[in-house]
Amino acid sequence: FIGGMLLISVYNLALYFFLRERVYIYYVLFVFGMLGLQAGLSGMAYQYIFPSYPMMQDKIISLSIILLCIFGTLSTKHFLQLESKDGHRFQKLDYITLASALLFVPFAFLSYNVIIRPLILWVVILSFIWLYLGFAEFKKGNKTAKLFALAWVALLAGGLVLALNKVGLIPMNMLTEAGWEIGSLIQATLLSMA
C-alpha cells in the first residue's frame, strides 16, 4: 500500500512540475494524508517514525484526517474545475476548506479521545459531498467527473467493507481487512489517470 501510494505521489508531483496545475499538488498532499492515516492506524508511524513518542501516534491520525479534509476539498474543487463553472458551489467549497483548516485549533489543544469522533464525522460528510459533486458534474457533461465519481465510489466501498468487517457484519479476512487500502489504491490510480 505505502509503496503504491508513494509511487502515485511521485507521479502526480512530476505532473505538477511539468504542467504547473495546482490540482496535482493538492492531490499529492491528499495522498500524504491517506498515507499518514494508514501509518497511524496500522501503528507503522509509531514503530518506524517516532517510537520514542507514543503520544504522536494519536496526533498523526488526527492530523492526517485534517489534511484529508483540506486537500480533499481543494482537489475536488480543482479537479472538477468548479471555480470556473459555478461560483456558488466554489464559494461553499472555500468555506469548507476554511472550516477544515480551523480544525488545527482544537487539534492543538484537545486530546485524541475528544477530537477523533468529530473529525471522523467531518471527513465522512465531506467524502459524500465530494462524491455528490462528482456525480452532479458528470450529469452536467463534465467527462472527467465520471472518473472522479468512480474513484470516490471505490474508496468509499473499500471503507465500507472495512467498517462492516470491524462491526462483525462480514467475515474478517485479508480482503476485508485491507478494504480501505484497496479502495484507496484504486481511487488514487483512477484519479492519476484522469
Side-chain angles (χ1 to χ4, degrees):
F1 171 77
I2 291 176
M5 295 302 271
L6 286 173
L7 184 63
I8 287 168
S9 295
V10 169
Y11 172 74
N12 279 281
L13 197 57
L15 287 175
Y16 169 73
F17 286 122
F18 287 118
L19 302 176
R20 296 286 185 210
E21 292 186 28
R22 285 182 289 174
V23 66
Y24 296 109
I25 197 71
Y26 293 147
Y27 189 65
V28 166
L29 293 169
F30 176 80
V31 170
F32 280 159
M34 289 197 306
L35 282 167
L37 180 60
Q38 185 58 33
L41 291 173
S42 68
M44 291 176 77
Y46 172 70
Q47 184 178 3
Y48 296 109
I49 300 172
F50 35 78
S52 301
Y53 302 99
M55 191 174 93
M56 289 299 293
Q57 178 67 19
D58 294 340
K59 290 292 187 185
I60 193 74
I61 293 170
S62 301
L63 176 64
S64 296
I65 292 173
I66 294 170
L67 291 175
L68 287 172
C69 293
I70 293 168
F71 294 108
T73 303
L74 289 170
S75 295
T76 298
K77 180 175 71 172
H78 290 278
F79 188 89
L80 296 175
Q81 300 172 346
L82 296 176
E83 68 273 5
S84 61
K85 294 182 180 180
D86 188 344
H88 187 64
R89 262 192 292 190
F90 172 65
Q91 200 170 35
K92 286 181 182 176
L93 288 176
D94 286 339
Y95 294 133
I96 289 171
T97 303
L98 178 62
S100 297
L102 289 174
L103 290 171
F104 281 115
V105 174
F107 164 77
F109 299 106
L110 298 176
S111 72
Y112 174 82
N113 293 333
V114 172
I115 196 171
I116 193 62
R117 285 191 176 105
L119 281 178
I120 291 170
L121 178 62
W122 184 240
V123 77
V124 168
I125 289 168
L126 289 181
S127 295
F128 282 103
I129 289 171
W130 302 328
L131 179 63
Y132 165 77
L133 290 171
F135 280 121
E137 286 299 306
F138 174 63
K139 190 175 178 182
K140 289 180 179 179
N142 182 338
K143 301 251 188 260
T144 58
K146 180 179 182 180
L147 199 55
F148 179 88
L150 183 61
W152 276 99
V153 166
L155 179 65
L156 293 173
L160 180 63
V161 166
L162 180 62
L164 292 174
N165 162 333
K166 294 303 179 195
V167 298
L169 294 176
I170 60 175
M172 187 179 288
N173 59 44
M174 195 168 75
L175 184 63
T176 60
E177 282 289 309
W180 186 77
E181 292 175 350
I182 293 167
S184 296
L185 280 168
I186 292 170
Q187 184 224 32
T189 303
L190 289 173
L191 290 179
S192 293
M193 292 179 354

